[in-house]
Amino acid sequence: MRSDSMKKGLERAPHRSLLKAMGYTDEEIRRPIIAVGHAHNEIIPGHIHLNTIAEAVKAGIRMAGGTPVSFGTIGVCDGIAMNHTGMKYSLASREVIADSVEIMVQAHPFDGMVLIPNCDKVVPGMLMAMLRVNIPALMVSGGPMLTGRFQGQDVHLVSVFEGVGRVKAGTMSEAELAELEDAACPGCGSCAGMFTANSMNCLTEAIGLGLPGNGTIPAVSAARIRLAKEAGMAAVHLATNDLRPRDIATLAAFENAMAVDMALGCSTNTVLHVPAIAHEAGVELSLELFDQVSRQVPHICSLIPGGPHSMQQLHEAGGVQAVMRELLDGGCPIHGGVMTVTGKTLAENLERAAVRDRSIIRPVSAPYHAEGGIAILRGNLAPDGAVVKQSAVAPEMLCHSGPARVFNSEEEAQKAILGGAIRPGDVVVIRYCGPKGGPGMPEMLSPTSAIIGMGLGTSVALLTDGRFSGGTQGACVGHVSPEAAEGGPIALVQEGDRISVDIPNRRLQLEVDEAELAERQKAWQPPPPNITSGYAARYARLVTSGATGAVLRDEI
């Protein structure tokens, strides 16, 4: 066992003594030692209950004959960090989370591991660490939040963001917004909807590194506790059989995840996180591959925020396993022979899966959209690519051309939107918000929600070298690469320039003569960094393009 190097033999008597100082018995020390890495804290609604999930995992480890040893790591609540300096630290936290798990596992030679995240950057950060250290391991999330109820309708966090715009537009009173604020987030769990956290938890299941049900069982359900116990037991079996994450997370497994991504209409943030996770496994995923899969896999689930259905309804309809079964049976590119943390192949897992509600999970032959939820755009404004959640774009906005309204920060754009300065037909450009320029590639949920709330969702497009929340809907194109801080073409856009967005043909074009752009490029000067000290400044110096997952360079 891997843990023998810290517990076995005469020379390890001091190590055993330290373990016994914490109450571990000789019998517990002899057993497989399984790490339980969790991100419980009291600032993220999706993590407030992870201590309970951790206790259930530990019970499962003990039932299977192992000894659980828990440790914690950090987590940022993207919703609370939104639209202020805190958002510059959100994406950057992913690397700290991965590094902290790596440190704990390499410093203490555990035999296996269960990781317990729930929200946006914590899930990919832990998956990156899992593949980096490559000891037998799996993940179990805290599960999605239930939707709230307001005026007879299902509501969620994004409903409140959009409510701010509605108050400004005069279509909602401040008293109604206060009532909505109280109702939208009814309890623990990752925010209700196919936002980034739930997208990543579903894709963890699709890759095969989480048990069936990981992505959709509600946080408040007893089934979530049972799943956590099963995860603890599975970790011991994985350690016993030396089945490791890189044995599971192959190119074929990542292609399965991309197929599920397109079928569900997941967050555009998956195009950042999935390549970063694959990178740790030595698998390179290009933006072209995402677009290729998008053209092959139809969008068969219409989930919040782009559609009406909740995570709970998806679970009741059969969850991720039923979606994968439908894709497999429908001839979509699903690889059934890949291994999973159940110890069985995906095809074996799917033998028991079935769609229980065809109004939630449509047949491949009758999808919501013929193409997948995400599209990759290119053109002279985004030579290295840009990302849009096409399943959440109104039909009339799939092709749009209009004058650029240029802002060098999210705060400037938000002020203009809520101040009524944006008109139907405009293309809002928010730049210097990329991985380096932000720094940290901040999410734009406040301005995109304000556009919807102000009634401009079917007439205004938004482009940014930053990124979007999974809660974003509308003609919002993010990850524009190269970013402005690197001198990308988005840095050259001037007020009033005409920009054309053509999602069906995957084009993003700045209608300005190439000679004029060359002159602008000569005159361009990089702005001073927004943050000059501390972690965010170091991150800005090391981070790569959003087109490559915003991973950090290995060289200093």
Side-chain angles (χ1 to χ4, degrees):
M1 288 191 291
R2 186 172 184 265
S3 63
D4 284 351
S5 61
M6 70 173 174
K7 69 182 186 183
K8 195 171 184 179
L10 177 66
E11 294 182 358
R12 295 297 179 258
H15 303 62
R16 292 192 296 273
S17 182
L18 289 168
L19 290 170
K20 289 177 178 180
M22 294 175 283
Y24 294 111
T25 65
D26 285 325
E27 175 59 26
E28 288 174 303
I29 294 169
R30 275 193 292 269
R31 293 179 176 185
I33 297 181
I34 309 296
V36 180
H38 62 84
H40 168 254
N41 64 35
E42 297 180 349
I43 193 63
I44 309 177
H47 289 213
I48 191 71
H49 65 305
L50 292 191
N51 54 341
T52 302
I53 301 295
E55 289 304 316
V57 168
K58 290 159 72 174
I61 292 169
R62 293 188 185 101
M63 284 191 290
T67 297
V69 178
S70 68
F71 65 86
T73 187
I74 65 165
V76 171
C77 179
D78 276 27
I80 294 174
M82 197 73 66
N83 198 225
H84 58 81
T85 300
M87 183 44 66
K88 299 180 187 299
Y89 290 83
S90 173
L91 180 60
S93 73
R94 185 186 73 181
E95 317 309 314
V96 174
I97 292 160
D99 290 349
S100 67
V101 173
E102 176 194 3
I103 287 168
M104 291 299 292
V105 173
Q106 300 293 32
H108 313 100
F110 301 111
D111 297 304
M113 177 169 59
V114 181
L115 293 174
I116 311 171
N118 210 23
C119 291
D120 292 28
K121 309 312 161 303
V122 191
V123 180
M126 286 189 170
L127 286 171
M128 289 166 68
M130 184 190 296
L131 287 162
R132 187 183 300 170
V133 300
N134 199 36
I135 67 170
L138 77 161
M139 182 172 285
V140 59
S141 75
M145 186 186 293
L146 299 179
T147 53
R149 296 288 291 175
F150 173 71
Q151 297 181 347
Q153 302 292 322
D154 285 342
V155 291
H156 43 82
L157 177 65
V158 177
S159 306
V160 188
F161 274 94
E162 293 174 359
V164 174
R166 293 194 172 100
V167 171
K168 290 286 187 179
T171 58
M172 175 181 278
S173 69
E174 289 191 38
E176 287 177 311
L177 180 59
E179 184 182 345
L180 173 60
E181 177 187 322
D182 287 345
C185 299
C188 66
S190 46
C191 295
M194 192 51 76
F195 310 145
T196 303
N198 290 326
S199 295
M200 290 309 305
N201 285 324
C202 286
L203 297 191
T204 298
E205 185 177 336
I207 293 169
L209 293 175
L211 295 175
N214 179 73
T216 58
I217 296 174
V220 295
S221 171
R224 177 61 56 178
I225 300 299
R226 295 196 297 272
L227 184 74
K229 291 178 180 178
E230 290 166 2
M233 297 174 70
V236 178
H237 298 316
L238 291 170
T240 301
N241 294 295
D242 198 30
L243 181 60
R244 302 185 180 213
R246 291 188 197 173
D247 299 328
I248 294 167
T250 60
L251 175 59
F254 284 111
E255 289 178 344
N256 287 346
M258 285 188 280
V260 171
D261 189 344
M262 301 308 165
L264 293 176
C266 289
S267 164
T268 52
N269 281 315
T270 60
V271 183
L272 278 177
H273 297 320
V274 174
I277 296 161
H279 178 74
E280 297 289 352
V283 176
E284 297 302 316
L285 302 180
S286 66
L287 291 183
E288 285 76 11
L289 184 55
F290 274 88
D291 203 55
Q292 177 185 325
V293 174
S294 178
R295 293 182 184 276
Q296 295 174 325
V297 178
H299 177 225
I300 61 175
C301 297
S302 187
L303 300 163
I304 296 168
H309 300 137
S310 67
M311 294 301 299
Q312 182 179 3
Q313 288 174 304
L314 175 61
H315 178 65
E316 292 167 354
V320 173
Q321 299 294 300
V323 170
M324 297 185 82
R325 176 66 184 268
E326 176 59 30
L327 295 178
L328 183 66
D329 291 348
C332 293
I334 290 290
H335 306 282
V338 296
M339 183 55 65
T340 73
V341 289
T342 66
K344 300 178 181 179
T345 66
L346 176 64
E348 290 172 322
N349 291 342
L350 296 184
E351 288 175 2
R352 300 173 59 186
V355 177
R356 303 190 191 102
D357 189 335
R358 284 293 181 186
S359 70
I360 308 296
I361 303 174
R362 285 191 178 180
V364 165
S365 59
Y368 286 96
H369 301 97
E371 292 187 349
I374 290 173
I376 307 301
L377 311 186
R378 292 184 186 274
N380 70 345
L381 193 50
D384 292 345
V387 182
V388 63
K389 187 172 181 176
Q390 62 177 342
S391 60
V393 178
E396 57 266 46
M397 290 298 292
L398 290 171
C399 294
H400 179 79
S401 181
R405 305 299 308 280
V406 183
F407 304 95
N408 290 336
S409 72
E410 178 188 2
E411 293 78 12
E412 293 175 25
Q414 178 77 344
K415 183 178 179 180
I417 295 165
L418 294 178
I422 303 302
R423 303 292 184 217
D426 286 347
V427 178
V428 176
V429 177
I430 308 177
R431 63 191 180 189
Y432 296 107
C433 294
K436 177 179 179 179
M441 209 176 184
E443 288 185 346
M444 300 293 162
L445 181 57
S446 292
T448 60
S449 297
I451 286 171
I452 297 296
M454 295 288 283
L456 298 170
T458 57
S459 62
V460 169
L462 187 149
L463 315 180
T464 182
D465 52 5
R467 60 194 177 90
F468 298 118
S469 163
T472 290
Q473 59 177 309
C476 300
V477 181
H479 309 196
V480 173
S481 299
E483 63 173 292
E486 295 282 10
I490 192 172
L492 310 180
V493 181
Q494 294 182 0
E495 188 80 7
D497 286 349
R498 196 154 198 88
I499 293 175
S500 296
V501 181
D502 184 347
I503 296 173
N505 290 305
R506 306 299 203 260
R507 297 296 295 168
L508 183 62
Q509 200 72 10
L510 177 61
E511 306 295 347
V512 174
D513 181 80
E514 289 299 318
E516 169 63 19
L517 290 178
E519 288 300 314
R520 293 182 189 181
Q521 187 77 64
K522 290 178 185 176
W524 177 80
Q525 293 292 327
N530 289 318
I531 298 176
T532 58
S533 63
Y535 174 64
R538 296 196 301 273
Y539 176 88
R541 289 195 292 269
L542 292 173
V543 71
T544 62
S545 168
T548 55
V551 298
L552 300 185
R553 295 192 301 271
D554 290 330
E555 70 276 9
I556 301 299

